[in-house]
Every structure is written in C-alpha cells, then in structure tokens.
Amino acid sequence: MKIMKKIYSLLIALSLVLVSSCDLDLQQDPNNVAPETASLNLVLNRIQVDFATFFNQTGDTGMRLTRMINQGNNLYEQTHQPVSLDARWTNAYANILNNVKFMLPLAEEANFRRHMGMARVIQAYTLMTLVDYFNDVPWSEALDPNNPAIDGLNPNYDDAASVYAVALASLQAAREDFAATSIGTPQDLYYNGTWANWVRLINTLELKYHLNRKLVDPSGSASAINALISANNFIEPGQEFIFRFGVNLTDPDSRHPRFGGQYTPGGGGDYQSTWYMWKMTEEKNPVVDPRARFYFYRQRTTNPTDPDQLRCLGEIAPGHYLAGGWPFCLPGTRGYWGRDHLNAEGIPPDGLGRTAWGVYPAGGRFDDNAGAPVSPTAGALGQGIHPIMLPAFADFMIAEAIHTMDGVNGDAKAFVTSGITKSMNFVRAYSVSTNQAGAINTFQSQAAFTTQVEEYLDLISRQWDAANADRRMNLIAREYWLALFGNGNESYNLYRRTGQPDNMQPGLLENFGSFPRTMFYPQNHAVTNRNANQRDEARRDRVFWDTNPEGNGWVY
C-alpha cells in the first residue's frame, strides 16, 4: 500500500475548498483518516500525546487514593464515580489503542519499525494500566465494529491475566522492532530519537510487569526479574521516560495541567495532602526531605490563623486521629496548608493561601520562602513533566523484589540508597533546567543541596539498620512513594501489592468506607455495552495479581 504523506487537517480543508467544483464520494467520511491518506508520523504523534493525557487521567486517581494529593470525598464509596472515568476509557480505547491498531499494519508494510516499536510500548503500558485499575477489560473483541458476533458495540471482557500477557508480548515485539532495520524517522516526543533508550524502557516495564505478578507466579516472576537484573539494561539517569510540557498559554495551552489548574489569578486547584507534606517536612525532623521545596510552593510561610479560611483550625482532631497519632489540619508550623485525607468540606476563598504545586513536576514555583501568591506568570510557567518511568523507580522495584521474593538476590539497602539519590538528583536537575534556576541556586547551592541529600541518606541508613524485615519493607515503600510524586499509577500498584507504606492517614470520619481495590467501570461502557457488569459500590474486586487479604485490614 502506498503511504501518502498528507496532513489530515489539510486534506479536510482542501475538500471543503473543492466541494463545489468536483464530485465527492459520499461513502467516504471526510472526518476519519483512511489508510490511503494517513500520515503515520501524525498518527504516532497523536498516540504519544493521547498517552500523556491517559497517564495524567489514571494517575490522578492513584495519587488521591494514596494520599499524594487530597481526596475530596467523605467516603471511599463516593470517590471516582463511573461518569468520572469515561474520559480515560474513551481515550484508551477510541484514541490510543484504536490508533495503534490502525497504524501497525501500515507501518509494517512500510517497514517503519521504529514507529511500530514506540506504538507497541505505549500499547503495552496502556493495557497494563487498564488492568491495574479495572481488572478484566475488553480486548480480543474490542476495536472491531464490524464483528457480527458482538454486534460491533458489545465486546466481552477478557481475563485480566491474559490482557497482561498481551502487554508483555507487545513489549517483546517492540524490542524486536527496535533491533530491526527500519526506514522512516518518527517524531519521538519522549526520547528524541535515541532508540536504545526505548529498549532500556522496555526492560524497565518488564520489571514492573513481573513485580506486579509476584504473588500469582512467584517462581516465574523471580526468574524473570533475576534475568533482567543480570542484564542490567534498565533506564539510567538521563534516560527518564517523561512527557515534557511547554509554556504556551493559548492556541494551544501547552502547560502542565496541574499548573494551569492552580496558577490562576485566584489560585485554586488541588489541595495538597497534609499527610504527604507531613511525611516530607516533619516526620524525620530535624531532617527535611530535600525535595520538599521543589514539590510544594507555599503561598504563606507561616500557618493561617483564621478558621473562616481553614475550618479545621477551630476543631478538635477526630478521636481516631488522636488515638492513632496522625497529624490533623496542618503539618507543623511553616505554612504547609493542605487538607486531610477524605475531606469533603466546602471550599472557602483560600485559593491564594493554600500550598500549591511546586516547580517539580508541575512547572510551578520553587519555594525560596518568598510567600507570594501564585499567578499565571509565576514560576516555570507550566514547563513541567509527567514522570511516567524514572531510573529511581527501577531501583525501588528491584529493592522490593530482593526483599520480598525468594530467589531474587542482591543488596536491597544499596538499591534503596541508589533510588533516593537518583530521585533527588533528578528533581533538582530538572528544576534547574527551567527558568527557576536562578531562584534555586541563589537560595541553595548545589553543594548545599548535596550535603542535605547526604544527611537524608545517613538517616535512612540508620533507620534501615535498626529495622526488622517488616519495617524494612515499609521503608522501601515509603521512600519509593515519596519519589513517585506526580505518578499515581505506580503508587496505587505499590500500595495494593505490598500494603506499604502502612499506617496511612485515615479518613476524617471514623467509618470512611472500604478502600477501592479496583475502579467502577466507566458509565459510557456500563450503559452501552450489553455485556458490561458493573461493580458493587465498595469495589471490593481485586486485580488478578492482588491476592492480598480483602478489606481495610490490608490497605485503608
């Protein structure tokens, strides 16, 4: 098939210009790309951009459930209703997976193997993530509207484990694509054409795949992880799998979505998590996590005192908070203004008081104690990133595998130390690549930052040496969770897979419902697919790889 290099939007515009002077084939929908008019570069670009959106859509759920940012509901049963999940489902199936299916045979015929490799990696991540959130999902009967057996609109579910296996096969096929001779040079929005980095990413995603499956296939997962560790070809510093945002305000708005939602003339957007900020700034006192000033920007550097702005100032902590020793209302005295877990109180006019996203990963402002309000012209102007897979994450996954799986050998403590170091160095390095470099270096030199990192690592080393096996797993998970800021997909998996970090801040109500181990199926799927089976309100169903105990005794 001949691949015509025509831009889709230009084709539509041209058809409108010529409509009065030539005959049209009215059976051809001008709003849909046809194989003979498709530009594979543009199709792949669309896949890459939609994938970044999918990561943000799904990760938001994981961040809220694992206390990275506030979950603004009183009960778990009220969180993430079916209608709120429509966009990610549509994006996954109608956009990403459908475009991958459309593109692969065309790219194969044209010998565009790098296009194929990139598309298959994105397909694999998307399929794994769908399973991680929904368990059984349609696949073998999906994306085929002409299949009379399913009437085009009613695909049955595939077993979740089989969809996971499809994802692994997609990763392995992608590895072959990148090893093959190829023509065509795609626009690579993630690695800028460094194809070896895609191979390293494939190995890192395979590590994630096998670690998630460790409870359902202990020996097979251990063997596969050992082979990956021996090959030692994971992503390393400088090879981060991230999506980069720009600073353009309109036409289009290219800024990080967290920046656009919070750096407005009136502030607003998300509340940060009291628990997460406490973990970073107070729990290890006097040692403060060196990443805190990059993660969070305080619009005030002292605590508020007006209960009309922060209602909890006039309240006594709930009894179960007092009994469990959890922080309530504010973490410390330095103006870290967020909300406790499962807080659905009304929102007062506090948009210019609450703690905002910082320079990392949202492209906001570095916290140099300025205490100034946020605005659309503040900080890095939205030049943030989506941290989809970082080298630090691989180290923490390896540490978990060593510590929890028979037959996986190595020094778990060394990998934790390496993961923390890589995370902290990357957070600062990315931040100084923005326009915040002057503010960062003026406030804290590289040498001072390095000293702070060394003090943190020394504390972690002492905690590790003093801990038993259970507390060491908690330490691995806690430090991984703190490195995951901006990535809710891996934190949600980590929490369900290990039950760690434990002792998480509970909901404000004493009976706050059951922690959802899976999501509702989206509304548009549940009401249009005759084969859909909606979950019960508590979403007690567990993902196939989660064989841990049911209920809030494991995670809450």
Side-chain angles (χ1 to χ4, degrees):
M1 182 182 295
K2 183 180 180 181
I3 305 301
M4 299 177 65
K5 302 299 183 181
K6 293 185 178 180
I7 300 176
Y8 176 45
S9 59
L10 179 60
L11 181 64
I12 295 174
L14 184 61
S15 70
L16 293 175
V17 171
L18 299 179
V19 68
S20 62
S21 60
C22 65
D23 294 332
L24 294 178
D25 180 0
L26 298 181
Q27 293 182 334
Q28 176 66 50
D29 181 357
N31 293 315
N32 286 318
V33 172
E36 63 272 14
T37 61
S39 165
L40 297 191
N41 288 333
L42 295 179
V43 174
L44 182 59
N45 286 353
R46 174 66 187 267
I47 291 168
Q48 292 180 79
V49 172
D50 285 338
F51 175 64
T53 301
F54 177 74
F55 171 82
N56 188 55
Q57 290 167 324
T58 51
D60 184 82
T61 296
M63 283 194 288
R64 295 186 190 283
L65 289 174
T66 59
R67 285 77 157 176
M68 278 189 184
I69 52 179
N70 172 251
Q71 178 66 67
N73 304 88
N74 287 322
L75 303 172
Y76 278 129
E77 284 74 12
Q78 298 167 343
T79 67
H80 310 102
Q81 292 300 305
V83 69
S84 70
L85 304 172
D86 284 348
R88 71 193 63 183
W89 186 271
T90 299
N91 190 22
Y93 281 101
N95 296 344
I96 299 168
L97 298 176
N98 194 46
N99 281 331
V100 171
K101 179 184 178 183
F102 171 84
M103 194 195 79
L104 284 178
L106 303 180
E108 183 173 17
E109 185 168 354
N111 197 33
F112 281 15
R113 297 294 294 273
R114 290 165 182 160
H115 290 70
M116 296 171 68
M118 291 171 61
R120 282 178 164 143
V121 170
I122 290 172
Q123 174 180 265
Y125 186 102
T126 303
L127 288 174
M128 281 196 287
T129 305
L130 286 170
V131 170
D132 292 340
Y133 280 93
F134 298 106
N135 199 37
D136 294 343
V137 294
W139 175 245
S140 60
E141 296 182 355
L143 308 177
D144 188 1
N146 299 316
N147 187 340
I150 58 173
D151 194 24
L153 299 173
N154 301 284
N156 287 289
Y157 297 110
D158 287 72
D159 174 72
S162 69
V163 179
Y164 239 55
V166 170
L168 178 62
S170 186
L171 289 174
Q172 293 169 341
R175 183 183 287 109
E176 296 177 2
D177 288 328
F178 287 116
T181 301
S182 175
I183 64 173
T185 303
Q187 182 179 11
D188 181 357
L189 303 180
Y190 292 89
Y191 282 129
N192 197 30
T194 304
W195 311 118
N197 289 353
W198 283 95
V199 176
R200 287 178 172 270
L201 173 66
I202 290 167
N203 297 329
T204 309
L205 292 177
E206 285 192 7
L207 172 64
K208 165 185 168 172
Y209 170 92
H210 292 295
L211 187 63
N212 275 349
R213 295 183 74 259
K214 69 178 184 179
L215 297 176
V216 295
D217 184 15
S219 61
S221 295
S223 177
I225 290 173
N226 269 332
L228 288 166
I229 293 173
S230 296
N232 192 28
N233 195 30
F234 303 113
I235 54 174
E236 291 291 343
Q239 300 162 355
E240 293 80 10
F241 187 55
I242 59 177
F243 186 83
R244 296 169 175 84
F245 290 89
V247 300
N248 208 49
L249 180 62
T250 57
D251 299 325
D253 184 346
S254 67
R255 304 170 302 168
H256 194 290
R258 305 287 173 182
F259 181 91
Q262 193 156 52
Y263 280 70
T264 69
D270 284 325
Y271 283 100
Q272 299 297 329
S273 163
T274 299
W275 180 242
Y276 202 78
M277 291 190 292
W278 181 81
K279 281 283 187 178
M280 296 199 76
T281 62
E282 298 293 332
E283 184 194 35
K284 303 179 183 77
N285 188 49
V287 175
V288 174
D289 193 308
R291 294 164 294 196
R293 291 182 180 274
F294 299 88
Y295 284 9
F296 312 120
Y297 175 72
R298 294 168 299 159
Q299 297 185 89
R300 298 186 183 183
T301 55
T302 58
N303 284 358
T305 58
D306 184 358
D308 288 336
Q309 289 190 322
L310 189 58
R311 176 176 167 181
C312 58
L313 291 173
E315 299 174 347
I316 298 174
H320 60 293
Y321 269 51
L322 294 172
W326 288 288
F328 171 70
C329 192
L330 289 166
T333 61
R334 290 172 285 183
Y336 287 99
W337 178 343
R339 280 200 166 183
D340 299 311
H341 189 50
L342 292 172
N343 182 343
E345 294 174 349
I347 298 176
D350 63 352
L352 296 176
R354 68 183 77 158
T355 296
W357 288 80
V359 60
Y360 180 93
R365 185 167 179 173
F366 174 73
D367 188 347
D368 57 358
N369 293 334
V374 298
S375 74
T377 58
L381 306 176
Q383 188 186 343
I385 60 168
H386 283 333
I388 304 171
M389 185 59 66
L390 304 182
F393 302 173
D395 285 343
F396 287 114
M397 287 190 283
I398 294 170
E400 177 189 332
I402 293 169
H403 190 70
T404 62
M405 300 176 68
D406 292 337
V408 179
N409 301 314
D411 186 345
K413 179 183 179 182
F415 279 102
V416 171
T417 300
S418 175
I420 294 170
T421 304
K422 288 177 183 177
S423 171
M424 293 185 175
N425 288 342
F426 176 68
V427 167
R428 190 180 194 280
Y430 181 79
S431 299
V432 298
S433 74
T434 72
N435 67 7
Q436 292 296 282
I440 294 167
N441 289 320
T442 299
F443 184 83
Q444 182 185 59
S445 67
Q446 176 65 62
F449 178 81
T450 299
T451 298
Q452 197 175 12
V453 172
E454 291 171 349
E455 291 172 349
Y456 190 95
L457 291 173
D458 183 62
L459 172 63
I460 298 303
S461 178
R462 296 195 306 270
Q463 289 183 343
W464 179 276
D465 293 343
N468 61 24
D470 179 67
R471 302 322 296 160
R472 285 180 176 178
M473 184 59 240
N474 181 72
L475 188 151
I476 293 169
R478 182 193 70 195
E479 295 307 313
Y480 187 16
W481 174 65
L482 292 175
L484 282 168
F485 192 56
N487 187 326
N489 293 337
E490 305 310 330
S491 65
Y492 188 41
N493 288 346
L494 169 71
Y495 193 42
R496 292 174 296 168
R497 188 175 64 238
T498 68
Q500 307 285 355
D502 63 8
N503 200 38
M504 289 280 224
Q505 185 187 48
L508 287 175
L509 298 178
E510 187 170 3
N511 297 310
F512 47 84
S514 299
F515 183 89
R517 302 286 274 272
T518 49
M519 292 292 105
F520 289 117
Y521 285 113
Q523 184 77 359
N524 58 9
H525 164 78
V527 302
T528 61
N529 188 333
R530 291 195 302 268
N531 295 314
N533 295 302
Q534 189 56 280
R535 294 202 161 84
D536 66 55
E537 190 173 306
R539 291 158 285 171
R540 296 181 180 88
D541 296 338
R542 290 165 290 169
V543 180
F544 82 97
W545 50 255
D546 177 6
T547 62
N548 292 306
E550 292 184 280
N552 286 1
W554 180 251
V555 288
Y556 58 85

